[in-house]
Amino acid sequence: KAWKEEEYEMFLKVQAAKRKALDSLEDDLDGSSFVSELIAIVESGMAYMAKRERGPVEALMTCIGDVRDLLRLVGFTRTTTEAGYDTGNSESGKSRVVGGEIALIETLVQFRSAVRTAALQSLRGDTESSLDKVKELLRLSDDMRDEILPEIGLQLVDNGDKEGRDGWKLCLPRKTGKNESREELKTAPSDIFSIPLSDFFKVGQYEGVFSKYTEEGIPTHNADGSEVSKRLLKKLVKKREAHRQRLEKTDDA
């Protein structure tokens, strides 16, 4: 695709900022000016990406390449300068997705199989109503977002009713509690009855999973800073209510 006015505008802004950044280093290592120009480059790229219709990828890749070059110039390691690259020779040598690409592929394959099975059952008339099957598909989709992907280090971000596409980001892998078996619950430590209601999501199996809470101790943010989804919040409220009832029974005993 040929570049349009938007691509040329971003390219010229980035090149001008890059030139100023390099000049700042020659001017007695003016770090403050260098960082300001580096931020200007990033903001130009972000503004371009925010446009609903984008042109050739080369313009954006030039912007990203200049950011990498400048970071490399001032001593950042490959962990930073090659972030997003699948080079195979990064310093850590590890994927930021738990289990690597294989785990991600297997997760998506399983999700596709579940969705396909649900759809086929609907076509064959194995369900009571099409509405029930639609709800089942939505449940599978929500489970992927709230339960499955966060466990391997991926967080999906629904755009809701706003215009634009849904997004994603890497997050700290966290256990969601979905895979807890009844046997595991039976073998829960007996001192669970000593956990105050306000601390229920701060200790034990939930320790380190969340970072912010309400005054009542209900989680509002995950460990990586992302907000707890509405669906997960409903589950946590139910678990908290079950613990409250557990404590009340202990007091009555």
Side-chain angles (χ1 to χ4, degrees):
K1 294 182 180 180
W3 284 21
K4 297 181 180 179
E5 183 178 349
E6 292 82 0
E7 284 74 45
Y8 282 112
E9 179 181 358
M10 181 187 67
F11 178 78
L12 293 176
K13 286 183 178 179
V14 169
Q15 294 307 304
K18 181 181 180 181
R19 183 67 264 169
K20 291 180 180 179
L22 293 174
D23 290 344
S24 67
L25 293 180
E26 295 177 359
D27 184 17
D28 198 22
L29 296 177
D30 185 355
S32 178
S33 297
F34 177 85
V35 172
S36 295
E37 298 304 329
L38 182 61
I39 293 176
I41 295 176
V42 174
E43 289 179 343
S44 295
M46 294 296 291
Y48 178 76
M49 290 180 64
K51 298 180 182 298
R52 294 188 62 183
E53 294 184 3
R54 296 193 291 271
V57 69
E58 289 80 9
L60 186 59
M61 291 303 296
T62 298
C63 175
I64 296 174
D66 286 338
V67 171
R68 296 184 191 278
D69 289 342
L70 291 173
L71 291 176
R72 192 178 296 113
L73 184 62
V74 294
F76 280 83
T77 65
R78 288 182 176 179
T79 301
T80 299
T81 61
E82 295 183 4
Y85 279 163
D86 184 15
T87 60
N89 61 351
S90 62
E91 292 182 0
S92 64
K94 298 180 180 179
S95 171
R96 293 183 63 185
V97 175
V98 176
E101 290 77 6
I102 298 301
L104 179 58
I105 292 171
E106 290 179 348
T107 298
L108 295 177
V109 169
Q110 292 173 5
F111 175 69
R112 177 189 176 276
S113 297
V115 171
R116 186 171 183 272
T117 298
L120 288 175
Q121 288 178 348
S122 179
L123 291 175
R124 294 167 182 167
D126 294 341
T127 56
E128 295 181 0
S129 69
S130 58
L131 180 59
D132 289 338
K133 188 47 57 181
V134 170
K135 291 181 179 179
E136 175 66 10
L137 292 176
L138 290 174
R139 184 192 66 78
L140 290 171
S141 178
D142 287 344
D143 282 347
M144 170 68 82
R145 179 194 63 198
D146 298 332
E147 308 283 359
I148 302 172
L149 291 182
E151 290 188 355
I152 62 174
L154 287 174
Q155 176 71 55
L156 298 186
V157 181
D158 285 342
N159 202 35
D161 296 330
K162 300 177 181 178
E163 294 184 356
R165 298 177 296 178
D166 294 337
W168 66 274
K169 61 182 178 180
L170 295 170
C171 68
L172 294 177
R174 56 179 181 269
K175 294 182 179 180
T176 60
K178 180 179 177 61
N179 296 322
E180 292 176 356
S181 66
R182 293 184 179 179
E183 189 64 30
E184 289 174 332
L185 293 176
K186 289 180 181 179
T187 58
S190 58
D191 63 356
I192 189 174
F193 296 97
S194 66
I195 300 176
L197 190 60
S198 60
D199 293 338
F200 183 63
F201 294 113
K202 300 178 182 179
V203 298
Q205 63 176 321
Y206 297 108
E207 184 175 359
V209 176
F210 306 107
S211 60
K212 293 183 180 180
Y213 310 82
T214 64
E215 293 181 357
E216 293 78 20
I218 301 175
T220 59
H221 291 73
N222 298 302
D224 61 353
S226 61
E227 292 187 5
V228 172
S229 67
K230 293 182 179 179
R231 188 167 183 270
L232 179 57
L233 180 59
K234 290 181 180 179
K235 292 184 177 182
L236 295 176
V237 170
K238 290 182 179 180
K239 288 179 179 291
R240 182 178 184 276
E241 176 61 20
H243 186 58
R244 184 187 66 77
Q245 295 177 4
R246 185 188 298 125
L247 295 179
E248 287 182 350
K249 290 181 180 180
T250 302
D251 293 338
D252 295 339

